[in-house]
């Protein structure tokens, strides 16, 4: 029992290995008899291919036809190979044996191909057939016993044993049947005379020749023989050879002489004259291929030969004399057709899986191809290539079958469609070629994130812009197609926003919005420079792919000042000597009324009062100048253009009157300019009287004591003012000298101290602003009045990445002359210094529309 179990296990392993080897080889063989009924199961194909139950239908097991009707199909539910229509072996293969059909079976997910060889076996369904139902023979009565008379044999469309024929003759005392081998399979019946004939006793003999095949059940064919007994001519013609063998290339032209047969007759006269005829064609199509000259015996080619249809012809030549009765002789001719390379290869696309995703793995099967050539030998051996050679290639999977596979990775953004040509060439001389075109589109995969043209966008916008005004247009490029390349924009709240004076931190989305489709940047509300100077936020671009990819860009929005604030007059500082203030209202600009006292005889240049004003704007819009409107002409007073100090131009006299009314206009440099008006009433008093206002509600004695020291106090005030003027001049001169030194150091020092990188400056032109900008800014403050420092000039520098090690060798562009004026104009407030980490860089406007803004700055 143990030995029996071991033997059974070994036998099982052998069977499993054989099945695995058959599956690896990719070929399954079945056999089915012809004329099988539709629905007959040929084989359990799915089980033989190793598929589980339910897999044939899930994996779409199907049969691929190669141009010839296969008459079988794959059952979708069971995966069995069944007969679908009538199978006729003679129609499919003719006389060829065995009759094998090559089928291709496809299985998807994953895609595999199997080759099935289906052999259609012959059944005995064709009875022997004679060329004619009746044959007439004439035999001279002088014929000797043993004379032979060839008869035309029958043909059977079956093959093998079903086509092997045996002949029988109806009973006769004068004739018998003798079978002769014409080739290895066929026999030819000869009628043999066994007893001398006597025309006077029986002039005509009626016989029946029967042909029976050896099939099961055997089938029978019959031909009637009518034998007429003739008198006289007793010598039949004889050929010089009984067999003629000829070889002709299939390209032989029509009309070519195939062979010339020759027969002789020892009789004389008309009994020796012969005519040649051809009989017993095998196959019957040979009737249309040759013809014989009845007088000369020349056999001529009458139609084109085709090796692929028939490669050998058998027929008999009969020479019959003109005696009475005529006698005949016979010979056999075998004409063999030689193959010529006259058939080009044929290429079929049996399966095509398109489009191909651009992320398809190398080795992916794109198409299945079948190649064949009807020629034989070297003429039928085909070699296949694909052009262009990249990124696809051909892999031979079976004789005459190829797989088109992916050899390199694809990129739809570089090539979206491939036009391939599969070229086939046989081994003939000269070789014949064929080609088949394939179009392989590449489908898109979301492998590209949206990318902005710039990492940082700098946008300039003037304050007081209208809500809904377009500030800039951002655009991100995504080379993918359809939804993978459809980009939507949004403002990213993470890290975006601004610190607003008096409000605190506010998100960027409360100021700006971006159109999701077009990327247009809109202002949600009017911007106020006095509230917000810089707004930095991120714009995110997200595609519609799955999964979605995104890209970011930083937007730096600089608000440019508009002259929307008029100067505001401040009260006198510290209540100077003899000063007072009273505010009155007036239409238009604000108006302030001041008063002061001056002593008769005060020297020229004595400062009587100081007009103080501030402007909430910045830059030139906040740079104030003071003008004396009334009295016009040459008066005893003047106003400092930028200091606002009211001083005397000459010594005051009694002729000047007891009171002078001065109208002073404070005007900024904005466009258009805004102004405020101050009215200064100057009272001219004696030296003692000038001390009265200083005493307030004190006694007259106190006023008189103050009057005694009036002259010395005025002298001390004038001296103090002069000292401060000298100090201010020294400070301004020092600052100017320092600016010149710094400019020279920046000019001739190594360029890497200023230039941070080789990239170009990035800028965005806003629609409401003649745009120019750089992404970083510098500011300085210069105090020209007693009020707080103002920020008036905005200096931008290029936004470069951190410099590499070799950045010091780069050549810095030469700074324009504008840097020489930096110390002489107002600057930005210190509140913006956190945005300005590097020294000033050359100021170069990039947009022609920005020139007016530069003119204002300079």
């Amino acid at each position: 029992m143990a030995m029996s179990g071991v033997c059974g296990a070994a036998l099982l392993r052998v069977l499993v290995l054989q099945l695995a080897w058959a599956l690896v080889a990719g070929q399954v063989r079945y056999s089915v008899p012809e004329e099988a009924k539709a629905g007959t199961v040929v084989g359990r194909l799915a089980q033989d291919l190793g598929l589980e139950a339910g897999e044939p239908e899930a994996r779409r097991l199907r049969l691929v036809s190669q141009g010839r009707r296969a008459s079988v199909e794959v059952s979708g539910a069971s995966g069995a190979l069944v007969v679908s229509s009538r199978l006729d072996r003679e129609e499919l293969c003719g006389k060829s044996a065995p009759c094998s059909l090559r089928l291709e079976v496809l299985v998807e997910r994953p895609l595999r191909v199997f080759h099935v060889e289906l052999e259609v076996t012959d059944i005995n369904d064709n009875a022997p057939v004679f060329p004619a139902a009746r044959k007439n023979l004439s035999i001279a009565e002088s014929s000797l016993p043993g004379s032979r008379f060839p008869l035309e044999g029958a043909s059977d469309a079956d093959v093998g044993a079903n086509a092997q024929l045996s002949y029988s003759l109806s009973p006769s005392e004068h004739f018998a049947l003798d079978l002769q081998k014409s080739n290895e399979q066929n026999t030819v019946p000869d009628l043999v005379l066994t007893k001398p004939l006597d025309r006077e006793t029986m002039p005509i003999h009626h016989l029946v020749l029967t042909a029976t095949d050896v099939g099961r059940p055997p089938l029978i064919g019959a031909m009637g023989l009518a034998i007429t007994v003739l008198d006289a001519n007793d010598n039949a013609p004889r050929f010089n050879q009984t067999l003629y063998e000829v070889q002709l290339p299939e390209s032989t032209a029509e009309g070519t002489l195939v062979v010339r047969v020759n027969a002789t007759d020892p009789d004389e006269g008309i009994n020796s004259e012969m005519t040649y005829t051809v009989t017993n064609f095998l196959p019957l199509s040979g009737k249309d291929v040759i013809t014989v000259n009845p007088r000369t015996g020349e056999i001529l080619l009458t139609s084109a030969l085709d090796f692929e249809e028939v490669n050998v012809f058998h027929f008999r030549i009969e020479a019959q004399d003109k005696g009475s009765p005529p006698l005949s002789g016979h010979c056999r001719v075998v004409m063999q057709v030689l193959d010529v390379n006259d058939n080009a290869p044929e290429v079929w696309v049996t399966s095509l899986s398109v489009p191909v995703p651009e992320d398809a793995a190398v080795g992916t099967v794109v198409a299945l191809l079948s190649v064949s050539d009807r020629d034989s030998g070297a003429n039928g051996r085909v070699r296949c290539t694909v052009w262009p050679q990249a990124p696809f290639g051909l892999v031979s999977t079976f004789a005459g079958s190829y797989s088109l596979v992916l050899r390199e990775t694809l990129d739809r953004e570089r090539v979206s469609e491939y036009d391939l040509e599969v070229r086939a060439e046989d081994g003939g001389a000269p070789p014949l070629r064929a080609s088949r075109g394939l179009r392989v589109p590449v489908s898109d995969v979301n492998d590209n994130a949206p990318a902005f043209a710039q990492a940082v966008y700098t946008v300039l916008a003037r304050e007081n812009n209208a809500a809904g005004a377009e500030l800039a247009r951002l655009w991100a490029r995504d080379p993918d197609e359809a939804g993978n390349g459809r980009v939507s924009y949004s403002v990213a709240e993470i890290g975006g926003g601004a610190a607003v004076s008096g409000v605190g931190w506010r998100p960027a989305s409360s100021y700006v919005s971006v159109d999701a489709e077009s990327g247009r940047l809109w202002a949600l509300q009017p911007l106020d420079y006095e509230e917000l100077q810089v707004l930095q936020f991120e714009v995110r671009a997200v595609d519609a792919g799955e999964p979605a990819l995104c890209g970011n860009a930083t937007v730096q929005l600089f608000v440019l000042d508009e002259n929307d604030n008029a100067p505001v007059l401040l009260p006198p500082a510290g209540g100077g000597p003899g000063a007072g203030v009273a505010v009155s209202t007036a239409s238009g600009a604000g108006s302030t009324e001041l008063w002061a006292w001056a002593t008769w005889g005060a020297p020229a240049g004595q400062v009587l009062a100081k007009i103080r004003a501030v402007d909430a704007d910045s830059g030139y819009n906040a740079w104030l100048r003071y003008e004396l409107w009334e009295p016009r002409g040459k008066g005893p007073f003047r106003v400092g253009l930028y200091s606002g100090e009211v001083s005397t131009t000459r010594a005051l006299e009694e002729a000047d009157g007891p009171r002078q009314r001065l109208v002073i206009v404070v005007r900024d440099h904005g466009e258009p300019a805004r102004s405020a008006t101050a009215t200064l009433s100057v009272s001219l008093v004696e030296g003692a009287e000038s001390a009265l206002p200083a005493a307030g509600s004190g006694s007259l004695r106190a006023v008189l004591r103050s009057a005694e020291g009036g002259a010395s106090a005025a002298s001390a005030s004038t001296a103090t003012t002069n000292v401060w003027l000298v100090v201010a001049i020294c400070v301004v001169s020092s600052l100017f000298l320092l600016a010149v030194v710094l400019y020279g150091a920046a000019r001739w020092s190594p360029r890497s101290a200023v230039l941070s990188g080789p990239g170009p400056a990035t800028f965005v032109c806003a629609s409401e602003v003649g745009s120019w900008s750089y992404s970083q800014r510098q500011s300085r403050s210069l105090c020209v009045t007693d009020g707080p420092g103002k920020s008036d000039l905005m200096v931008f520098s290029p936004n470069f990445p951190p410099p590499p090690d070799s950045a010091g060798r780069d050549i810095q562009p030469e700074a324009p002359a504008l840097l020489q004026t930096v110390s002489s104009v107002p600057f930005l407030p210190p509140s913006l210094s956190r945005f300005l980490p590097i020294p000033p860089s050359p100021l170069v406007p990039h947009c022609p529309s920005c020139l007016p803004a530069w003119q204002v700055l300079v």
Side-chain angles (χ1 to χ4, degrees), residues 128-290:
V129 178
F130 285 93
R134 180 182 179 88
K135 183 176 179 60
N136 296 321
L137 294 177
S138 297
I139 301 177
E141 63 176 337
S142 58
S143 298
L144 298 177
S147 298
R148 309 176 69 88
F149 305 96
L151 300 176
E152 290 182 296
S155 61
D156 196 325
D158 296 324
V159 295
N162 295 328
Q164 293 181 5
L165 306 179
S166 61
Y167 295 89
S168 60
L169 190 65
S170 58
S172 173
E173 61 177 348
H174 295 279
F175 298 96
L177 199 61
D178 187 20
L179 301 179
Q180 298 291 325
K181 278 280 187 179
S182 64
N183 52 39
E184 295 179 358
Q185 295 183 349
N186 298 323
T187 57
V188 178
D190 286 346
L191 187 64
V192 180
L193 183 63
T194 59
K195 182 179 179 180
L197 298 173
D198 187 0
R199 187 188 64 83
E200 288 73 19
T201 303
M202 184 179 290
I204 298 176
H205 296 263
H206 293 279
L207 303 177
V208 177
L209 178 62
T210 302
T212 306
D213 59 28
V214 297
R216 292 184 179 275
L219 300 178
I220 299 173
M223 179 178 67
L225 298 177
I227 303 173
T228 301
V229 180
L230 302 177
D231 200 359
N233 188 23
D234 55 355
N235 289 292
R238 290 181 176 272
F239 287 91
N240 52 3
Q241 61 188 70
T242 59
L243 177 64
Y244 292 86
E245 293 182 338
V246 182
Q247 292 183 341
L248 291 177
E250 61 176 327
S251 58
T252 303
E254 297 181 14
T256 301
L257 177 64
V258 177
V259 68
R260 182 173 182 173
V261 296
N262 184 36
T264 59
D265 192 328
D267 294 329
E268 293 182 351
I270 195 172
N271 290 331
S272 63
E273 294 180 6
M274 292 172 293
T275 58
Y276 297 93
T277 57
V278 59
T279 61
N280 204 17
F281 292 96
L282 190 65
L284 294 178
S285 59
K287 292 181 178 180
D288 302 324
V289 174
I290 62 166

Side-chain angles (χ1 to χ4, degrees), residues 11-30:
L11 180 59
L12 180 61
R13 285 196 297 271
V14 170
L15 293 176
V16 170
L17 288 176
Q18 287 181 350
L19 178 60
W21 176 254
L23 292 176
V24 171
Q27 183 169 358
V28 181
R29 293 182 174 85
Y30 296 109

Side-chain angles (χ1 to χ4, degrees), residues 583-604:
V583 180
S584 63
T585 60
S587 60
S591 176
T592 303
E593 185 175 352
L594 305 173
W595 46 270
W597 294 267
T599 305
W600 284 337

Side-chain angles (χ1 to χ4, degrees), residues 809-821:
R809 295 191 294 270
D810 295 337
I811 299 177
Q812 179 186 8
E814 193 166 318
L818 182 59
L819 288 177
Q820 300 174 4
T821 66

Side-chain angles (χ1 to χ4, degrees), residues 618-830:
S618 179
Y620 276 82
N621 298 329
W623 188 16
L624 304 180
R625 58 185 297 168
Y626 303 84
E627 300 175 0
L628 181 61
W629 275 30
E630 293 181 6
R632 296 185 180 273
K634 295 182 178 180
F637 304 100
R638 68 179 176 184
V639 178
L641 182 62
Y642 296 112
S643 65
E645 293 179 342
V646 180
S647 60
T648 58
T649 59
R650 57 177 173 81
L652 299 176
E653 301 173 354
E654 291 185 4
D656 293 328
R659 183 180 297 273
Q660 293 283 340
R661 183 176 179 272
L662 307 180
V663 178
I664 300 170
V665 176
V666 184
R667 192 187 309 274
D668 59 26
H669 286 72
E671 187 65 37
R674 293 179 180 268
S675 62
T677 304
T679 303
L680 178 63
S681 297
V682 181
S683 299
L684 301 180
V685 297
E686 294 290 344
E689 295 177 356
S690 63
L692 288 176
S697 62
S699 62
L700 178 59
R701 184 178 301 173
V703 171
L704 293 176
R705 284 198 299 269
S706 66
E708 294 176 357
S712 61
S715 300
S717 176
T718 302
T720 302
T721 301
N722 292 337
V723 169
W724 283 110
L725 286 175
V726 171
V727 172
I729 292 172
C730 291
V731 171
V732 172
S733 301
S734 300
L735 290 175
F736 177 77
L737 181 61
L738 179 60
V740 172
V741 172
L742 291 176
Y743 171 72
R747 176 69 185 273
W748 288 286
S749 64
R751 297 301 187 259
S752 61
V754 177
L755 188 62
S756 297
T762 59
F763 64 91
V764 170
C765 290
S767 58
E768 288 82 3
V769 185
S771 62
W772 61 274
S773 73
Y774 292 96
S775 61
Q776 296 181 351
R777 310 185 298 166
Q778 285 289 27
S779 68
R780 298 290 185 271
S781 296
L782 179 64
C783 295
V784 296
T785 66
D786 292 343
K790 296 296 295 181
S791 59
D792 299 293
L793 179 62
M794 186 179 293
V795 182
F796 300 93
S797 59
N799 182 25
F800 289 126
D805 296 339
S806 61
R809 295 191 294 270
D810 295 337
I811 299 177
Q812 179 186 8
E814 193 166 318
L818 182 59
L819 288 177
Q820 300 174 4
T821 66
V822 170
S823 63
S824 63
V825 293
F827 291 90
L828 285 170

